[in-house]
Amino acid sequence: MKKLLWGMLALVFAEIAMLILIGKAIGVFYTLLLIVLTSVVGVLIAKQRGMKSYKDIQNSLQQGQPPGIAMIETFMIFIGGALMALPGFITDIIGLLFVLGITRNLFKPIIFYFLRKKMKKGNVIIVQR
């Protein structure tokens, strides 16, 4: 828990520093405009790709296949969209990496490793109804 708190605090300071640097380089107005633009574009991309991923989950369930990969992609797109909606350039870059399909595939093995590790410890429980 302490690591998460320190990490978020470091991210806030890094975001502020990045905003100051970019603001000095291109001006305050253009910096604010860029922040708003990336937020709007991020939300729109996440909405479009998120709906596609949601449909992939439904198609997998209709075909009787487990929707594991589609669920992970939907989760990553949601997190990416949320990060892009936050003001700041570092969170925008991380969010864009989660939203884009090419870079999202790079994160999947890490997420699968994390889930397997949690399942072995018994921290993840799958409930069937």
Side-chain angles (χ1 to χ4, degrees), residues 63-93:
Q63 295 172 0
Q65 298 173 350
I69 294 174
M71 287 179 69
I72 289 174
E73 285 193 5
T74 304
F75 175 73
M76 290 178 71
I77 290 169
F78 172 75
I79 294 298
L83 287 173
M84 287 185 76
L86 292 173
F89 294 107
I90 297 172
T91 53
D92 286 344
I93 292 168

Side-chain angles (χ1 to χ4, degrees), residues 98-117:
F98 271 50
V99 170
L100 294 178
I102 296 168
T103 54
R104 193 172 55 235
N105 290 334
L106 298 174
F107 290 107
K108 282 184 198 175
I110 298 168
I111 292 173
F112 281 127
Y113 172 78
F114 176 76
L115 287 174
R116 283 188 197 107
K117 187 176 168 183

Side-chain angles (χ1 to χ4, degrees), residues 13-52:
F13 285 129
E15 287 283 9
I16 292 170
M18 185 72 76
L19 287 171
I20 291 170
L21 289 173
I22 293 175
K24 283 184 178 180
I26 65 172
V28 174
F29 176 74
Y30 290 117
T31 303
L32 293 174
L33 186 65
L34 192 57
I35 289 171
V36 170
L37 184 68
T38 57
S39 294
V40 170
V41 169
V43 169
L44 292 175
I45 290 172
K47 180 181 176 184
Q48 178 204 18
R49 293 191 184 253
M51 291 305 292
K52 183 186 176 302

